Each structure stands twice: as structure tokens, then as C-alpha cells.
Amino acid sequence: MNLAIKAVGIRKSFGNHEVLKGLDLEVAYGEVLCILGPSGSGKSTFLRCINHLETPNGGYVWVDGAIMGYELSRGALQELPIKKLRAQQSQLGMVFQHFNLFAHRTVLGNVIEGPMVVRGLSRAKAEAHAMDLLEQVGMAGKASSYPSQLSGGQKQRVAIARSLAMEPRVMLFDEPTSALDPELVGEVLEVMRNLARGGTTMIVVTHEIGFAREVADRVVVMIDGEIRETGAPGQVLSNPADPRVRSFLSRVLA
Amino acid sequence: MPQPSSPSIAALSLADLPGRDVAVRHLRHPGRWISGGIVVLLLALIGHAFAVGQIQWLVVGQFLTAGVIITGFGWTLLISACALVLGVALGFAFGIMRLSENPILRFAAWLYVWIFRGTPVLLQLLIWFNIALVFPRLYIPGLVDERMVDVVTPFVAAVLGLGVNEGSYLTEVVRGGIGSVDSGQKEAAHTLGMTPGQTMRRIILPQTLRLILPVLGNSAIGMLKFSSLAATIAMGEMLNAAQRIYFINGAVIELLFVCAVWYLAGTTILSIGQYYLERHFGRDAATATSERRWFRGWARRPAVEGEA
Ligand SMILES: Nc1ncnc2c1ncn2[C@@H]1O[C@H](COP(=O)(O)OP(=O)(O)OP(=O)(O)O)[C@@H](O)[C@H]1O
Ligand SMILES: [Mg+2]
């Protein structure tokens, strides 16, 4: 098993409120991991700690040979300058619940922004690659549209293409379908299913139990800032050991 | 029991309904005609008063295109443009500093706003104009060594005074504009690996600019008018030129009217420009492409109805 991510003892507090209570997690290359859990249990915060949108108060995240935001020097973690942190962050693609497409850029402009500015690709190369990706998510026909002209499902598919354009090692999804009208959820899940089939390593925070059951290799259930259950979807979803997980699942499956 | 209030409505039977092409007679609005008539009358009275008043309209027409006035208006435009550019640059610089992580930078920006927004612009103009009393020489080792009065000419004092003052207002505008760009935009840029500088330049500032465009339009219009304050520091812009003429020929009101005509012309053109700029950038991008096409060809098209 070839590890992509190893999170060690992640703790995070906002003021006095301890949101993450020392989480450990390992994700292998090619694996699809779904994180489930009640609202407010810290799923988003955990994901944001993994890519250092939030700096953990304790613990660290190892991504393919380096510790996010730090380097190990004389037995301690030395904070990295912002530029190096950003380079590390660009190895983790992030898809947000509310898309966060750049409002002043076209669809194509959104997808080429990272490759041109961060990776220094020429416009021609970036556009060629971007058109391939837009094709892949079924959005090539809208390349010159602005985000405000798209439906939610279309925006999210563009956001996925924008993340993929950086050729990240791992894709993180934070409830990618929660802000969508029910009839638009399917098209986004379909794109994600295809990514999973293609071997993309993915961590997906979701309320879509059906998607987790069908696509995930492993499911993690978080409650109150702790991982209470982890295992194959069949086992966790139908036969959880932890009583709080059982009551959470019985509520969402009802 | 029959409803006493609606006998006539109830009396219209289905058989009496008119055909689908029935004509409609609109309500007359006598009130509108009366109030409109009163306003027209008042305008006519005011117009008549000025026409028969002690104004030599011929003199107004004569000086409207006088060389001194035109040159003065040229200076007015130049001062306004330079001061606006300076103000916008300072506004963005200090507006970004206001949101810095560094408390000392934040304090410096706050101090700038506190001082220059808190004192009258006329006072600031006079201080800039007389700055040589404080610093007789401008001396920067290896760069400049000159008498201050040679450096801070009336033109320079006017641009500094108006620009630095405007910058203090725009600092707050820019700060608010940056603050109202959704924080998700910044997070998305960070996850792509963009540095804070890249995020600011490529993602935040372009969106801020769109948000504050209406304010910048008002700044431009305000600046054109405030530039007349420079007349008090012997800057030969339009108002100053007009004053120098009427000190000699005594046609005070006539020359002030000449200035009014030119200021109105300038602010009208700026308002029209502002309208098209906002059409171009200000709205959401849903109609952006069609509007952009429209913007390119607007000179060839008839005027739009409605605003502007
Ligand atoms: N920036 C913040 N400042 C203060 N509190 C925060 C912040 N972000 C999250 N929290 C708190 O941390 C807790 C966990 O939030 P988080 O968003 O991680 O939950 P979640 O599991 O993603 O929930 P949901 O399913 O509703 O998205 C919540 O109580 C929330 O109020
Ligand atoms: Mg969440």
C-alpha cells in the first residue's frame, strides 16, 4: 500500500471550542475515502486542516514525502515560508460546497488560472489541457461563459476541472453536492464516479450515503471531532459497532 | 342580502361582456398637468429673470472660448486627472495596508485616513503650497537637492493636496470593497497555490475594482469641481483665470457663468462615461458578453433611452 496522506493527531480549536480532538487518518494512492458525520462534527474543519486552509493547533499532515506547512529540522517542525506552503497546497485539489469559481473569469479563464500563474505554463498549453478537462466534465461547450451564467451543477463541474488542472495528487471534496438542487446532484456525482474509476485519490465529505456505499473504498464516520468508525462501506453503513454512529446512520438512512 | 358597495360590478352579466379587442380608455391625470404647468411656469420666470437681469450675455458668449479660459480649463482637467490618479493609487495602497496582518502597517494607514480625512481639503492645499516654510530644501541624498519652492509649484501643490485628500477617502472605499469580495475566492486561489500577492492582484483587486467603480466615477466628478479650490493658491486653472479677467474688466458674473458652463460640460461628459463604464464592468457577468459588444460599438449607435 502506497500512502498518499497521513494525518497525525490533528487538533483544532476555535476559541475555547475544541472542534477536532486529535484525529489520525491514512489514505492510500488510488483510494476513495468518504467522510460522513452529523452537522458540526468537524468534517469541513478536518478537510481544511489537511490542506492548511486552517492551521491545526496540534498534529501534522504528511503528504507524499513532506509535512504540510513545515519542515522537520533538529527534531522540531519549522514553519515554511508562504510560497512553499502554497506549492504544497497546490498538490491537493479542493472542491468547495459553494464552488468558489472566480466570478470575473470565464469558465476557461478559471481553469487556466492555476496552471498559468502557479505552474508557469504557456497560455496555449494551459488552454489545451483545460479544454481536455472541460470535455471530461462535459463543460467544453461553455468555455467562454461566466460563472453567473451557469447552473449550480455546471459550476461544480467547472470547479472540479479547475482543481484537476493543477494535476493534484489528491482531490478533496467538501460536500460538493449539498448546495445543489436535487435534480443537479446526479451530474456532479457522475463526474466524481468517473474520477474514482480512473484511479484518482479522493477524500469526500458528503451526505450522499448512496454515493459512499457505491464508490468509496473506505468510509469514516466523525462525531464531535473524533473518528468513531472506519471501515469498508458495507460494514460501516450496515453494521456499525459504535452506538452513536448507529444512531446517526439510522437518522440519515431513515 | 345584496352587497351595497358593488351593485354595478355585480350587474355586468356574462352576456354583456365586450369582445377581446375592446378599446381601453386610460385615466386622465389632471394633477400631473397642473403640477407640470406650475414647474414650467417657475422655470420660465427664472429664465426670464436671468435674461432681463444685469448680465451681458454677449460677454458670456465672448469669453466662453477665450484662450485664457480654455487654457485654464485645460489646467483644470490636468489637475483633476493627475489628482485622481494619485488618489486612486494611494487609496489602493493604503486600503490594502488597512487589511494587512502587520499591525504597524494597519496603524500607518489608519493615521493617514485620520489626518487627511479629518482636515479640510482647502487647508491641506494651503499647507502643501506653503510647505517650503517647514522644509526650505527638498534633499534626498543622491537623488534630489532643490529649493522646495521650485519643487512644489502651485500645480504640484494642487495635485498633492487634492490627490492625497481623495486617497484618504478612497482608502476606506477600497477597504470596504476588498472586504466584500467573498472569502471563498481567496481560499480557492490559495488551494490552487497562488501566493498572497498573486491572489490580491489577479483575484481580489479586479473584483474590488468592479465593486467600487461607481464610487470612482463620483470621485472623478467631484475632483473636477474641487480642482477649483486650487484657484486660492495661485494656480492658473479656469476659475483663477476667470478671476484675473474680471478683476480687470469687472464682468464678474459673466465670467463665473462661463466657468459654470465648462464645469457642467465636463461633469456631464464624465457622467456619461461613468454610465457606460458601469454598464461594461459593474453588473454581473450574465450579460457581460453582449454588453461588451455593445460597448465597442456604442459610438455608432443612437443614444439609449432612459438614464445617462
Ligand atoms: N472559522 C470558524 N470560527 C469559529 N468556529 C468555527 C469555524 N469554523 C467552524 N467552526 C465550528 O466548528 C464546528 C465544526 O464545524 P465544521 O464546519 O467543521 O462542521 P461540519 O462537520 O463540516 O458540519 P456541516 O455538515 O454542517 O458542514 C462547528 O461547531 C462550527 O461552528
Ligand atoms: Mg461542512
Side-chain angles (χ1 to χ4, degrees):
Chain A
M1 190 170 85
N2 214 342
L3 269 195
I5 289 185
K6 183 180 170 73
V8 181
I10 300 296
R11 285 189 292 107
K12 180 71 187 178
S13 303
F14 294 108
N16 292 330
H17 182 193
E18 190 175 34
V19 177
L20 302 179
K21 302 169 178 169
L23 297 177
D24 297 307
L25 186 73
E26 292 184 357
V27 182
Y29 272 118
E31 193 177 18
V32 176
L33 177 87
C34 281
I35 301 181
L36 310 177
S39 186
S41 58
K43 307 179 297 293
S44 297
T45 307
F46 186 35
L47 217 53
R48 294 163 59 83
C49 280
I50 289 178
N51 71 359
H52 266 241
L53 276 181
E54 305 279 1
T55 312
N57 301 128
Y60 58 86
V61 181
W62 175 94
V63 178
D64 193 66
I67 291 175
M68 287 292 288
Y70 304 97
E71 70 190 342
L72 195 58
S73 124
R74 283 174 280 127
L77 294 182
Q78 168 65 45
E79 210 174 298
L80 285 177
I82 196 91
K83 233 185 140 140
K84 289 193 175 165
L85 170 63
R86 293 282 183 265
Q88 290 181 327
Q89 285 176 314
S90 73
Q91 306 196 336
L92 301 174
M94 177 85 164
V95 175
F96 299 87
Q97 184 175 356
H98 295 287
F99 331 120
N100 296 355
L101 289 180
F102 301 134
H104 61 306
R105 295 262 200 270
T106 61
V107 165
L108 186 63
N110 266 275
V111 182
I112 63 174
E113 181 74 16
M116 281 180 62
V117 177
V118 179
R119 296 171 68 204
L121 257 61
S122 72
R123 175 173 290 271
K125 267 194 185 151
E127 283 186 353
H129 185 209
M131 287 312 293
D132 282 348
L133 290 167
L134 287 173
E135 195 76 54
Q136 198 181 320
V137 299
M139 288 299 294
K142 294 275 187 185
S144 56
S145 301
Y146 281 87
S148 60
Q149 296 168 300
L150 305 179
S151 75
Q154 293 175 324
K155 284 184 203 171
Q156 197 59 296
R157 287 186 281 148
V158 173
I160 292 173
R162 177 177 68 175
S163 289
L164 290 173
M166 293 302 289
E167 301 185 332
R169 291 166 193 277
V170 180
M171 286 288 287
L172 311 178
F173 295 83
D174 189 3
E175 300 196 26
T177 58
S178 295
L180 301 180
D181 291 338
E183 75 268 24
L184 301 177
V185 168
E187 62 190 61
V188 172
L189 292 184
E190 184 57 31
V191 166
M192 292 170 63
R193 217 174 271 129
N194 287 337
L195 282 180
R197 260 187 231 122
T200 308
T201 313
M202 297 165 44
I203 303 181
V204 185
V205 172
T206 186
H207 291 300
E208 298 286 335
I209 305 288
F211 177 83
R213 196 193 300 278
E214 179 199 335
V215 179
D217 298 304
R218 200 149 53 94
V219 169
V220 160
V221 181
M222 274 180 69
I223 291 175
D224 275 348
E226 292 176 86
I227 291 179
R228 300 297 284 252
E229 188 92 31
T230 172
Q235 175 223 326
V236 171
L237 293 173
S238 19
N239 195 13
D242 190 292
R244 291 188 64 185
V245 172
R246 207 175 303 141
S247 90
F248 160 68
L249 286 174
S250 68
R251 261 180 289 131
V252 293
L253 289 173
Chain B
M1 211 174 92
Q3 295 285 321
S5 61
S6 54
S8 61
I9 292 175
L12 183 59
S13 74
L14 283 177
D16 294 335
L17 286 183
R20 61 182 68 216
D21 295 327
V22 61
V24 176
R25 266 193 305 276
H26 290 289
L27 277 179
R28 310 226 174 275
H29 294 282
R32 287 184 199 169
W33 285 101
I34 293 170
S35 57
I38 292 173
V39 170
V40 168
L41 191 68
L42 284 174
L43 286 177
L45 283 175
I46 294 173
H48 180 254
F50 274 99
V52 303
Q54 309 230 345
I55 299 175
Q56 298 163 276
W57 290 102
L58 269 179
V59 178
V60 175
Q62 192 184 327
F63 277 97
L64 202 55
T65 51
V68 196
I69 294 291
I70 299 288
T71 312
F73 192 53
W75 281 110
T76 291
L77 292 179
L78 190 65
I79 293 172
S80 311
C82 293
L84 188 67
V85 169
L86 179 64
V88 170
L90 290 174
F92 271 97
F94 283 102
I96 292 169
M97 273 168 68
R98 282 284 262 162
L99 296 163
S100 164
E101 310 253 312
N102 185 334
I104 295 175
L105 293 191
R106 277 206 307 273
F107 174 73
W110 173 85
L111 194 67
Y112 167 68
V113 173
W114 183 63
I115 290 174
F116 288 97
R117 209 175 59 166
T119 53
V121 62
L122 181 55
L123 185 74
Q124 290 174 33
L125 275 175
L126 291 170
I127 291 176
W128 283 111
F129 185 57
N130 292 298
I131 198 82
L133 299 176
V134 192
F135 308 107
R137 292 199 81 80
L138 179 62
Y139 177 63
I140 303 171
L143 276 179
V144 203
D145 184 10
E146 302 224 35
R147 290 195 317 153
M148 191 60 96
V149 280
D150 296 333
V151 180
V152 185
T153 59
F155 174 74
V156 172
V159 169
L160 282 175
L162 295 169
V164 171
N165 180 260
E166 190 65 22
S168 66
Y169 283 93
L170 292 180
T171 295
E172 291 301 284
V173 171
V174 169
R175 178 174 78 132
I178 292 177
S180 56
V181 174
D182 177 29
S183 65
Q185 300 280 309
K186 194 160 111 185
E187 293 191 343
H190 287 175
T191 58
L192 290 179
M194 294 170 75
T195 61
Q198 290 167 337
T199 307
M200 189 52 91
R201 270 198 315 280
R202 301 190 53 94
I203 306 300
I204 308 295
L205 288 187
Q207 297 190 46
T208 305
L209 194 59
R210 284 166 190 231
L211 285 169
I212 69 175
L213 210 59
V215 182
L216 292 185
N218 288 339
S219 279
I221 290 169
M223 192 61 89
L224 190 69
K225 297 184 291 176
F226 280 124
S227 68
S228 62
L229 291 174
T232 57
I233 56 169
M235 176 65 223
E237 46 67 73
M238 184 167 59
L239 183 58
N240 187 276
Q243 288 174 332
R244 273 180 293 144
I245 297 172
Y246 70 61
F247 283 146
I248 295 169
N249 71 2
V252 177
I253 280 293
E254 287 77 4
L255 278 148
L256 292 179
F257 270 44
V258 166
C259 291
V261 169
W262 279 111
Y263 281 120
L264 265 178
T267 52
T268 306
I269 290 171
L270 284 176
S271 310
I272 295 172
Q274 180 185 20
Y275 171 72
Y276 284 115
L277 267 180
E278 277 177 36
R279 264 185 84 105
H280 184 48
F281 290 115
R283 300 230 206 102
D284 74 339
T287 44
T289 31
S290 55
E291 273 176 18
R292 195 155 305 152
R293 225 175 291 126
W294 197 90
F295 184 70
R296 279 199 208 103
W298 73 271
R300 280 175 274 118
R301 300 229 185 174
V304 259
E305 46 201 275
E307 306 158 64

